[in-house]
Amino acid sequence: MTSTTPDGQAGAEATAGDDLLLPELVAHLRENRTQLRREWANRITDAHLLTSMTPQEVFSEATSVYDNYVGVLETGSVEALQDYARDLSERIIPRGVETNEVVGIVLLLRDVLARSLFEKYHKDFGLLNRVLDAYEPAANRIANTVAVSFVQERERIIRQQADAIRELSTPVLQVRERLLILPIIGVLDDQRADQLTEQLLGGIRRHRARVVVIDITGVPEITAEVANHLVQTVDASRLMGAGVIITGLSPEIAQTLVTIGVDLTKMNTVGDLQGGIEEAERLLGFRVTRVADEDA
Amino acid sequence: MADRDVSAEPLRVSILSQGSYLIASIHTALDDGQLVRFQRDLIERIGAQRSLGVIIDVAALDVLDSFGSRTLRDIARMSRLRGAETVIVGIAPELAVSMVRLGLHLDLPTALDLEEGLAYLRSLTGTPMLP
């Protein structure tokens, strides 16, 4: 580094205060905004990222990210970027944008900007090094912030959906006085089986049920643990004074239950839901007749 | 435990007479000695009152160990020998789950609550509540 070249002089200035480097950097990025932004958008397209978005959308989001990016470099505060990243994630997650795409585009921007810095300062290696020293930590922090915000937003959405599924998954319905039905649809895992027990026992108490029909027509298969859990649930219901009728056992489930040797003697099973409800009505002393038959 | 005088302690179970039935309410968790005392008192009362049925209300209990459930079963057997049917009522959901997890099989008639228990006994003994 000599003081005879113009770049060297610039370097000497910067040496006087390295904290002036970032503002200089920001000014450079602002000056070349149009060109760098276009280059970035092109590289996103070339890398086949964000394919679920139109080129216009990519360009407009790219502009926002770019400006936020420069803003973070300038102020050193990632809060605005965090908010923006969360908002962006909320918009693009439903469209199927993956984590690797989001991380990918931020890393691309980092590369594009680093290239432009190389280009600008390549004549003075020492200065370039110091510029990169200032740039890299900030850039990495930005990449980190965006990726974490995206993943957090995704997790939030997943949690929200899981909650919704959990709430909907085990309805306890009263069909007659003292008679409840629980239609179960979908895979019955440990967690759902636990939840089923809780809902069922709570429902028995709330509705003062004496008979419960659990219909598992919609359950494709069952593990030994869940089968045992089901038997325990039947026992627990009985302790609370309610009899349980299980209906809709598929051939596969019947085979599983017999193979694993679940004690079926206490299980009251009926072929289908209709049969189960009829049996329950009989136990409760209801008799359902057609009006026409009664008249005749 | 044998030399402890449980009869001096405050009663944790109340045994009320309702027509030809006895209603025993357990108010708090009982230790083994208190369970034994409860068993003795109840079996005695069956004879004294010429009861036909016994309802044991465990709604206040959130745990029941193996000794507790065995005692309840013994009470039911002894009661039958003395001419009374027994029904356990008020098992809370949490208690029901913990009992089946522990593998405690009551093998006793159970009902949701007192009202259901009375209905069960009435269906069994066919006796009106009042003469």
Side-chain angles (χ1 to χ4, degrees), chain A residues 108-148:
Chain A
L108 276 181
L109 177 59
R110 195 190 62 168
D111 295 346
V112 168
L113 300 187
R115 287 288 174 94
S116 96
L117 295 178
F118 286 141
E119 208 167 32
K120 183 168 188 230
Y121 296 106
H122 73 280
K123 288 195 187 112
D124 183 343
F125 187 67
L127 177 60
L128 175 62
N129 259 334
R130 287 207 309 284
V131 168
L132 288 180
D133 279 347
Y135 171 71
E136 279 165 355
N140 288 345
R141 208 163 128 224
I142 292 170
N144 218 332
T145 305
V146 173
V148 168

mmCIF file of all heavy atoms in Angstrom, chain A residues 108-148:
data_model
loop_
_atom_site.group_PDB
_atom_site.id
_atom_site.type_symbol
_atom_site.label_atom_id
_atom_site.label_comp_id
_atom_site.label_asym_id
_atom_site.label_seq_id
_atom_site.Cartn_x
_atom_site.Cartn_y
_atom_site.Cartn_z
ATOM 1 N N LEU A 108 -27.028 -15.319 -1.999
ATOM 2 C CA LEU A 108 -26.727 -14.766 -3.322
ATOM 3 C C LEU A 108 -26.505 -13.262 -3.241
ATOM 4 O O LEU A 108 -25.560 -12.725 -3.831
ATOM 5 C CB LEU A 108 -27.882 -15.055 -4.293
ATOM 6 C CG LEU A 108 -27.884 -16.419 -4.979
ATOM 7 C CD1 LEU A 108 -29.075 -16.523 -5.921
ATOM 8 C CD2 LEU A 108 -26.596 -16.626 -5.757
ATOM 9 N N LEU A 109 -27.366 -12.593 -2.483
ATOM 10 C CA LEU A 109 -27.221 -11.143 -2.346
ATOM 11 C C LEU A 109 -25.873 -10.817 -1.699
ATOM 12 O O LEU A 109 -25.165 -9.911 -2.128
ATOM 13 C CB LEU A 109 -28.368 -10.571 -1.504
ATOM 14 C CG LEU A 109 -28.280 -9.069 -1.225
ATOM 15 C CD1 LEU A 109 -28.249 -8.277 -2.524
ATOM 16 C CD2 LEU A 109 -29.445 -8.593 -0.368
ATOM 17 N N ARG A 110 -25.543 -11.609 -0.680
ATOM 18 C CA ARG A 110 -24.261 -11.396 -0.020
ATOM 19 C C ARG A 110 -23.117 -11.518 -1.030
ATOM 20 O O ARG A 110 -22.200 -10.703 -1.061
ATOM 21 C CB ARG A 110 -24.088 -12.431 1.094
ATOM 22 C CG ARG A 110 -22.995 -12.101 2.071
ATOM 23 C CD ARG A 110 -22.725 -13.267 2.981
ATOM 24 N NE ARG A 110 -22.272 -14.424 2.199
ATOM 25 C CZ ARG A 110 -21.738 -15.504 2.746
ATOM 26 N NH1 ARG A 110 -21.617 -15.592 4.055
ATOM 27 N NH2 ARG A 110 -21.345 -16.515 2.004
ATOM 28 N N ASP A 111 -23.226 -12.547 -1.894
ATOM 29 C CA ASP A 111 -22.181 -12.770 -2.896
ATOM 30 C C ASP A 111 -22.123 -11.634 -3.902
ATOM 31 O O ASP A 111 -21.043 -11.152 -4.254
ATOM 32 C CB ASP A 111 -22.421 -14.093 -3.623
ATOM 33 C CG ASP A 111 -22.279 -15.277 -2.683
ATOM 34 O OD1 ASP A 111 -21.740 -15.072 -1.573
ATOM 35 O OD2 ASP A 111 -22.722 -16.383 -3.045
ATOM 36 N N VAL A 112 -23.306 -11.213 -4.363
ATOM 37 C CA VAL A 112 -23.349 -10.148 -5.372
ATOM 38 C C VAL A 112 -22.687 -8.892 -4.815
ATOM 39 O O VAL A 112 -21.849 -8.253 -5.486
ATOM 40 C CB VAL A 112 -24.810 -9.853 -5.781
ATOM 41 C CG1 VAL A 112 -24.907 -8.562 -6.588
ATOM 42 C CG2 VAL A 112 -25.383 -11.020 -6.571
ATOM 43 N N LEU A 113 -23.035 -8.561 -3.587
ATOM 44 C CA LEU A 113 -22.479 -7.350 -2.990
ATOM 45 C C LEU A 113 -20.980 -7.499 -2.737
ATOM 46 O O LEU A 113 -20.203 -6.566 -2.980
ATOM 47 C CB LEU A 113 -23.208 -7.019 -1.685
ATOM 48 C CG LEU A 113 -24.714 -6.764 -1.825
ATOM 49 C CD1 LEU A 113 -25.300 -6.283 -0.521
ATOM 50 C CD2 LEU A 113 -25.002 -5.760 -2.936
ATOM 51 N N ALA A 114 -20.569 -8.694 -2.299
ATOM 52 C CA ALA A 114 -19.143 -8.914 -2.053
ATOM 53 C C ALA A 114 -18.365 -8.763 -3.356
ATOM 54 O O ALA A 114 -17.307 -8.132 -3.404
ATOM 55 C CB ALA A 114 -18.924 -10.296 -1.453
ATOM 56 N N ARG A 115 -18.927 -9.308 -4.458
ATOM 57 C CA ARG A 115 -18.275 -9.171 -5.767
ATOM 58 C C ARG A 115 -18.086 -7.708 -6.139
ATOM 59 O O ARG A 115 -17.030 -7.310 -6.645
ATOM 60 C CB ARG A 115 -19.120 -9.833 -6.854
ATOM 61 C CG ARG A 115 -19.107 -11.332 -6.846
ATOM 62 C CD ARG A 115 -17.781 -11.898 -7.312
ATOM 63 N NE ARG A 115 -17.808 -13.331 -7.151
ATOM 64 C CZ ARG A 115 -18.166 -14.172 -8.127
ATOM 65 N NH1 ARG A 115 -18.466 -13.716 -9.314
ATOM 66 N NH2 ARG A 115 -18.197 -15.465 -7.894
ATOM 67 N N SER A 116 -19.135 -6.933 -5.886
ATOM 68 C CA SER A 116 -19.034 -5.531 -6.277
ATOM 69 C C SER A 116 -17.986 -4.815 -5.421
ATOM 70 O O SER A 116 -17.325 -3.890 -5.901
ATOM 71 C CB SER A 116 -20.399 -4.847 -6.198
ATOM 72 O OG SER A 116 -20.541 -4.192 -4.978
ATOM 73 N N LEU A 117 -17.818 -5.290 -4.201
ATOM 74 C CA LEU A 117 -16.767 -4.703 -3.352
ATOM 75 C C LEU A 117 -15.387 -5.102 -3.866
ATOM 76 O O LEU A 117 -14.478 -4.282 -3.933
ATOM 77 C CB LEU A 117 -16.948 -5.141 -1.899
ATOM 78 C CG LEU A 117 -18.210 -4.645 -1.197
ATOM 79 C CD1 LEU A 117 -18.293 -5.200 0.216
ATOM 80 C CD2 LEU A 117 -18.264 -3.130 -1.183
ATOM 81 N N PHE A 118 -15.248 -6.357 -4.268
ATOM 82 C CA PHE A 118 -13.972 -6.820 -4.853
ATOM 83 C C PHE A 118 -13.612 -5.934 -6.043
ATOM 84 O O PHE A 118 -12.494 -5.478 -6.187
ATOM 85 C CB PHE A 118 -14.089 -8.273 -5.356
ATOM 86 C CG PHE A 118 -14.118 -9.292 -4.258
ATOM 87 C CD1 PHE A 118 -14.957 -10.398 -4.345
ATOM 88 C CD2 PHE A 118 -13.293 -9.165 -3.143
ATOM 89 C CE1 PHE A 118 -14.976 -11.343 -3.334
ATOM 90 C CE2 PHE A 118 -13.317 -10.114 -2.139
ATOM 91 C CZ PHE A 118 -14.160 -11.195 -2.236
ATOM 92 N N GLU A 119 -14.651 -5.707 -6.856
ATOM 93 C CA GLU A 119 -14.435 -4.955 -8.073
ATOM 94 C C GLU A 119 -13.958 -3.538 -7.742
ATOM 95 O O GLU A 119 -13.023 -3.018 -8.350
ATOM 96 C CB GLU A 119 -15.749 -4.890 -8.851
ATOM 97 C CG GLU A 119 -15.553 -4.758 -10.344
ATOM 98 C CD GLU A 119 -16.852 -5.026 -11.058
ATOM 99 O OE1 GLU A 119 -17.920 -4.706 -10.481
ATOM 100 O OE2 GLU A 119 -16.821 -5.560 -12.172
ATOM 101 N N LYS A 120 -14.591 -2.955 -6.757
ATOM 102 C CA LYS A 120 -14.280 -1.570 -6.428
ATOM 103 C C LYS A 120 -12.905 -1.427 -5.781
ATOM 104 O O LYS A 120 -12.169 -0.491 -6.063
ATOM 105 C CB LYS A 120 -15.360 -1.023 -5.484
ATOM 106 C CG LYS A 120 -15.141 0.438 -5.162
ATOM 107 C CD LYS A 120 -16.341 1.040 -4.496
ATOM 108 C CE LYS A 120 -16.113 2.531 -4.400
ATOM 109 N NZ LYS A 120 -16.314 3.133 -3.168
ATOM 110 N N TYR A 121 -12.590 -2.383 -4.893
ATOM 111 C CA TYR A 121 -11.368 -2.198 -4.104
ATOM 112 C C TYR A 121 -10.236 -3.128 -4.522
ATOM 113 O O TYR A 121 -9.252 -3.246 -3.800
ATOM 114 C CB TYR A 121 -11.686 -2.435 -2.623
ATOM 115 C CG TYR A 121 -12.661 -1.447 -2.034
ATOM 116 C CD1 TYR A 121 -13.974 -1.803 -1.765
ATOM 117 C CD2 TYR A 121 -12.257 -0.138 -1.770
ATOM 118 C CE1 TYR A 121 -14.874 -0.896 -1.237
ATOM 119 C CE2 TYR A 121 -13.156 0.774 -1.242
ATOM 120 C CZ TYR A 121 -14.452 0.392 -0.969
ATOM 121 O OH TYR A 121 -15.331 1.290 -0.445
ATOM 122 N N HIS A 122 -10.364 -3.799 -5.688
ATOM 123 C CA HIS A 122 -9.395 -4.840 -5.988
ATOM 124 C C HIS A 122 -7.973 -4.311 -6.129
ATOM 125 O O HIS A 122 -7.018 -5.061 -6.011
ATOM 126 C CB HIS A 122 -9.811 -5.617 -7.248
ATOM 127 C CG HIS A 122 -9.620 -4.862 -8.518
ATOM 128 N ND1 HIS A 122 -10.500 -3.913 -8.949
ATOM 129 C CD2 HIS A 122 -8.624 -4.910 -9.441
ATOM 130 C CE1 HIS A 122 -10.076 -3.398 -10.087
ATOM 131 N NE2 HIS A 122 -8.931 -3.983 -10.411
ATOM 132 N N LYS A 123 -7.852 -3.008 -6.369
ATOM 133 C CA LYS A 123 -6.494 -2.479 -6.573
ATOM 134 C C LYS A 123 -5.742 -2.351 -5.258
ATOM 135 O O LYS A 123 -4.532 -2.292 -5.236
ATOM 136 C CB LYS A 123 -6.575 -1.122 -7.260
ATOM 137 C CG LYS A 123 -6.987 -1.253 -8.718
ATOM 138 C CD LYS A 123 -6.716 0.030 -9.469
ATOM 139 C CE LYS A 123 -7.289 -0.046 -10.860
ATOM 140 N NZ LYS A 123 -8.426 0.893 -11.014
ATOM 141 N N ASP A 124 -6.491 -2.293 -4.165
ATOM 142 C CA ASP A 124 -5.834 -2.105 -2.866
ATOM 143 C C ASP A 124 -6.245 -3.253 -1.946
ATOM 144 O O ASP A 124 -7.303 -3.237 -1.326
ATOM 145 C CB ASP A 124 -6.269 -0.760 -2.265
ATOM 146 C CG ASP A 124 -5.553 -0.480 -0.961
ATOM 147 O OD1 ASP A 124 -4.989 -1.427 -0.365
ATOM 148 O OD2 ASP A 124 -5.570 0.686 -0.544
ATOM 149 N N PHE A 125 -5.381 -4.250 -1.887
ATOM 150 C CA PHE A 125 -5.748 -5.467 -1.177
ATOM 151 C C PHE A 125 -5.971 -5.211 0.318
ATOM 152 O O PHE A 125 -6.893 -5.747 0.938
ATOM 153 C CB PHE A 125 -4.669 -6.522 -1.379
ATOM 154 C CG PHE A 125 -5.063 -7.858 -0.823
ATOM 155 C CD1 PHE A 125 -6.109 -8.571 -1.386
ATOM 156 C CD2 PHE A 125 -4.407 -8.382 0.280
ATOM 157 C CE1 PHE A 125 -6.480 -9.794 -0.862
ATOM 158 C CE2 PHE A 125 -4.777 -9.602 0.803
ATOM 159 C CZ PHE A 125 -5.809 -10.306 0.223
ATOM 160 N N GLY A 126 -5.139 -4.366 0.884
ATOM 161 C CA GLY A 126 -5.259 -4.072 2.319
ATOM 162 C C GLY A 126 -6.583 -3.422 2.646
ATOM 163 O O GLY A 126 -7.278 -3.801 3.595
ATOM 164 N N LEU A 127 -6.959 -2.472 1.826
ATOM 165 C CA LEU A 127 -8.234 -1.791 2.052
ATOM 166 C C LEU A 127 -9.396 -2.759 1.854
ATOM 167 O O LEU A 127 -10.339 -2.797 2.660
ATOM 168 C CB LEU A 127 -8.354 -0.607 1.086
ATOM 169 C CG LEU A 127 -9.682 0.156 1.154
ATOM 170 C CD1 LEU A 127 -9.903 0.726 2.546
ATOM 171 C CD2 LEU A 127 -9.711 1.260 0.107
ATOM 172 N N LEU A 128 -9.274 -3.565 0.780
ATOM 173 C CA LEU A 128 -10.321 -4.555 0.511
ATOM 174 C C LEU A 128 -10.537 -5.440 1.739
ATOM 175 O O LEU A 128 -11.666 -5.714 2.147
ATOM 176 C CB LEU A 128 -9.928 -5.409 -0.702
ATOM 177 C CG LEU A 128 -10.880 -6.561 -1.025
ATOM 178 C CD1 LEU A 128 -12.266 -6.056 -1.370
ATOM 179 C CD2 LEU A 128 -10.324 -7.422 -2.147
ATOM 180 N N ASN A 129 -9.423 -5.864 2.320
ATOM 181 C CA ASN A 129 -9.510 -6.713 3.507
ATOM 182 C C ASN A 129 -10.270 -6.022 4.621
ATOM 183 O O ASN A 129 -11.124 -6.630 5.274
ATOM 184 C CB ASN A 129 -8.100 -7.054 4.004
ATOM 185 C CG ASN A 129 -7.710 -8.448 3.559
ATOM 186 O OD1 ASN A 129 -8.577 -9.289 3.345
ATOM 187 N ND2 ASN A 129 -6.423 -8.678 3.403
ATOM 188 N N ARG A 130 -9.971 -4.748 4.823
ATOM 189 C CA ARG A 130 -10.637 -4.040 5.915
ATOM 190 C C ARG A 130 -12.119 -3.821 5.605
ATOM 191 O O ARG A 130 -12.973 -3.910 6.482
ATOM 192 C CB ARG A 130 -9.938 -2.714 6.187
ATOM 193 C CG ARG A 130 -8.576 -2.899 6.873
ATOM 194 C CD ARG A 130 -8.200 -1.688 7.710
ATOM 195 N NE ARG A 130 -8.305 -0.451 6.958
ATOM 196 C CZ ARG A 130 -7.417 -0.049 6.036
ATOM 197 N NH1 ARG A 130 -6.375 -0.816 5.766
ATOM 198 N NH2 ARG A 130 -7.585 1.076 5.404
ATOM 199 N N VAL A 131 -12.384 -3.544 4.323
ATOM 200 C CA VAL A 131 -13.788 -3.387 3.930
ATOM 201 C C VAL A 131 -14.549 -4.685 4.203
ATOM 202 O O VAL A 131 -15.644 -4.687 4.768
ATOM 203 C CB VAL A 131 -13.898 -2.992 2.438
ATOM 204 C CG1 VAL A 131 -15.331 -3.108 1.956
ATOM 205 C CG2 VAL A 131 -13.379 -1.586 2.222
ATOM 206 N N LEU A 132 -13.920 -5.789 3.808
ATOM 207 C CA LEU A 132 -14.588 -7.086 4.025
ATOM 208 C C LEU A 132 -14.734 -7.383 5.516
ATOM 209 O O LEU A 132 -15.715 -7.966 5.951
ATOM 210 C CB LEU A 132 -13.824 -8.211 3.322
ATOM 211 C CG LEU A 132 -13.929 -8.203 1.796
ATOM 212 C CD1 LEU A 132 -13.139 -9.351 1.193
ATOM 213 C CD2 LEU A 132 -15.388 -8.283 1.346
ATOM 214 N N ASP A 133 -13.729 -6.982 6.288
ATOM 215 C CA ASP A 133 -13.824 -7.159 7.740
ATOM 216 C C ASP A 133 -15.074 -6.480 8.283
ATOM 217 O O ASP A 133 -15.729 -6.991 9.193
ATOM 218 C CB ASP A 133 -12.589 -6.558 8.433
ATOM 219 C CG ASP A 133 -11.409 -7.519 8.377
ATOM 220 O OD1 ASP A 133 -11.651 -8.698 8.038
ATOM 221 O OD2 ASP A 133 -10.274 -7.085 8.658
ATOM 222 N N ALA A 134 -15.373 -5.329 7.725
ATOM 223 C CA ALA A 134 -16.558 -4.607 8.189
ATOM 224 C C ALA A 134 -17.827 -5.217 7.614
ATOM 225 O O ALA A 134 -18.861 -5.299 8.279
ATOM 226 C CB ALA A 134 -16.470 -3.137 7.800
ATOM 227 N N TYR A 135 -17.731 -5.660 6.371
ATOM 228 C CA TYR A 135 -18.915 -6.122 5.665
ATOM 229 C C TYR A 135 -19.360 -7.525 6.104
ATOM 230 O O TYR A 135 -20.546 -7.764 6.360
ATOM 231 C CB TYR A 135 -18.645 -6.102 4.162
ATOM 232 C CG TYR A 135 -19.719 -6.766 3.340
ATOM 233 C CD1 TYR A 135 -20.974 -6.172 3.198
ATOM 234 C CD2 TYR A 135 -19.504 -7.998 2.724
ATOM 235 C CE1 TYR A 135 -21.955 -6.782 2.464
ATOM 236 C CE2 TYR A 135 -20.487 -8.609 1.991
ATOM 237 C CZ TYR A 135 -21.716 -7.999 1.860
ATOM 238 O OH TYR A 135 -22.694 -8.599 1.151
ATOM 239 N N GLU A 136 -18.404 -8.431 6.183
ATOM 240 C CA GLU A 136 -18.764 -9.844 6.381
ATOM 241 C C GLU A 136 -19.594 -10.114 7.647
ATOM 242 O O GLU A 136 -20.624 -10.784 7.561
ATOM 243 C CB GLU A 136 -17.511 -10.723 6.343
ATOM 244 C CG GLU A 136 -17.073 -11.010 4.918
ATOM 245 C CD GLU A 136 -15.665 -11.567 4.837
ATOM 246 O OE1 GLU A 136 -14.998 -11.648 5.881
ATOM 247 O OE2 GLU A 136 -15.239 -11.906 3.723
ATOM 248 N N PRO A 137 -19.160 -9.622 8.810
ATOM 249 C CA PRO A 137 -19.973 -9.929 10.006
ATOM 250 C C PRO A 137 -21.393 -9.406 9.869
ATOM 251 O O PRO A 137 -22.359 -10.106 10.216
ATOM 252 C CB PRO A 137 -19.243 -9.202 11.137
ATOM 253 C CG PRO A 137 -17.890 -8.887 10.619
ATOM 254 C CD PRO A 137 -18.003 -8.790 9.124
ATOM 255 N N ALA A 138 -21.496 -8.197 9.312
ATOM 256 C CA ALA A 138 -22.836 -7.628 9.157
ATOM 257 C C ALA A 138 -23.655 -8.472 8.189
ATOM 258 O O ALA A 138 -24.822 -8.791 8.439
ATOM 259 C CB ALA A 138 -22.729 -6.188 8.670
ATOM 260 N N ALA A 139 -23.019 -8.886 7.088
ATOM 261 C CA ALA A 139 -23.733 -9.669 6.080
ATOM 262 C C ALA A 139 -24.174 -11.019 6.646
ATOM 263 O O ALA A 139 -25.304 -11.477 6.416
ATOM 264 C CB ALA A 139 -22.841 -9.873 4.860
ATOM 265 N N ASN A 140 -23.272 -11.622 7.408
ATOM 266 C CA ASN A 140 -23.625 -12.924 7.984
ATOM 267 C C ASN A 140 -24.766 -12.787 8.979
ATOM 268 O O ASN A 140 -25.642 -13.656 9.065
ATOM 269 C CB ASN A 140 -22.409 -13.548 8.666
ATOM 270 C CG ASN A 140 -21.398 -14.028 7.659
ATOM 271 O OD1 ASN A 140 -21.715 -14.158 6.474
ATOM 272 N ND2 ASN A 140 -20.175 -14.254 8.103
ATOM 273 N N ARG A 141 -24.722 -11.680 9.706
ATOM 274 C CA ARG A 141 -25.779 -11.464 10.680
ATOM 275 C C ARG A 141 -27.124 -11.320 9.969
ATOM 276 O O ARG A 141 -28.149 -11.822 10.425
ATOM 277 C CB ARG A 141 -25.469 -10.204 11.489
ATOM 278 C CG ARG A 141 -26.051 -10.272 12.862
ATOM 279 C CD ARG A 141 -25.414 -9.267 13.768
ATOM 280 N NE ARG A 141 -26.457 -8.487 14.400
ATOM 281 C CZ ARG A 141 -26.421 -7.178 14.546
ATOM 282 N NH1 ARG A 141 -25.388 -6.491 14.107
ATOM 283 N NH2 ARG A 141 -27.406 -6.550 15.124
ATOM 284 N N ILE A 142 -27.081 -10.639 8.846
ATOM 285 C CA ILE A 142 -28.317 -10.449 8.080
ATOM 286 C C ILE A 142 -28.831 -11.801 7.574
ATOM 287 O O ILE A 142 -30.014 -12.129 7.715
ATOM 288 C CB ILE A 142 -28.080 -9.488 6.904
ATOM 289 C CG1 ILE A 142 -27.797 -8.084 7.438
ATOM 290 C CG2 ILE A 142 -29.274 -9.489 5.964
ATOM 291 C CD1 ILE A 142 -27.314 -7.119 6.389
ATOM 292 N N ALA A 143 -27.921 -12.601 6.995
ATOM 293 C CA ALA A 143 -28.327 -13.912 6.464
ATOM 294 C C ALA A 143 -28.955 -14.740 7.578
ATOM 295 O O ALA A 143 -30.003 -15.372 7.416
ATOM 296 C CB ALA A 143 -27.122 -14.630 5.869
ATOM 297 N N ASN A 144 -28.287 -14.674 8.730
ATOM 298 C CA ASN A 144 -28.773 -15.401 9.889
ATOM 299 C C ASN A 144 -30.174 -14.950 10.291
ATOM 300 O O ASN A 144 -31.082 -15.767 10.508
ATOM 301 C CB ASN A 144 -27.808 -15.078 11.041
ATOM 302 C CG ASN A 144 -27.574 -16.286 11.889
ATOM 303 O OD1 ASN A 144 -28.451 -17.132 11.962
ATOM 304 N ND2 ASN A 144 -26.416 -16.369 12.515
ATOM 305 N N THR A 145 -30.343 -13.637 10.374
ATOM 306 C CA THR A 145 -31.620 -13.073 10.806
ATOM 307 C C THR A 145 -32.757 -13.510 9.889
ATOM 308 O O THR A 145 -33.817 -13.942 10.341
ATOM 309 C CB THR A 145 -31.544 -11.535 10.815
ATOM 310 O OG1 THR A 145 -30.443 -11.142 11.613
ATOM 311 C CG2 THR A 145 -32.823 -10.925 11.351
ATOM 312 N N VAL A 146 -32.502 -13.402 8.578
ATOM 313 C CA VAL A 146 -33.555 -13.746 7.627
ATOM 314 C C VAL A 146 -33.900 -15.231 7.729
ATOM 315 O O VAL A 146 -35.075 -15.606 7.802
ATOM 316 C CB VAL A 146 -33.128 -13.385 6.186
ATOM 317 C CG1 VAL A 146 -34.139 -13.905 5.179
ATOM 318 C CG2 VAL A 146 -32.963 -11.882 6.056
ATOM 319 N N ALA A 147 -32.854 -16.076 7.786
ATOM 320 C CA ALA A 147 -33.110 -17.515 7.842
ATOM 321 C C ALA A 147 -33.864 -17.882 9.105
ATOM 322 O O ALA A 147 -34.848 -18.633 9.076
ATOM 323 C CB ALA A 147 -31.786 -18.280 7.763
ATOM 324 N N VAL A 148 -33.429 -17.318 10.237
ATOM 325 C CA VAL A 148 -34.077 -17.651 11.509
ATOM 326 C C VAL A 148 -35.522 -17.156 11.524
ATOM 327 O O VAL A 148 -36.431 -17.879 11.933
ATOM 328 C CB VAL A 148 -33.274 -17.060 12.694
ATOM 329 C CG1 VAL A 148 -34.083 -17.134 13.976
ATOM 330 C CG2 VAL A 148 -31.961 -17.804 12.857
#
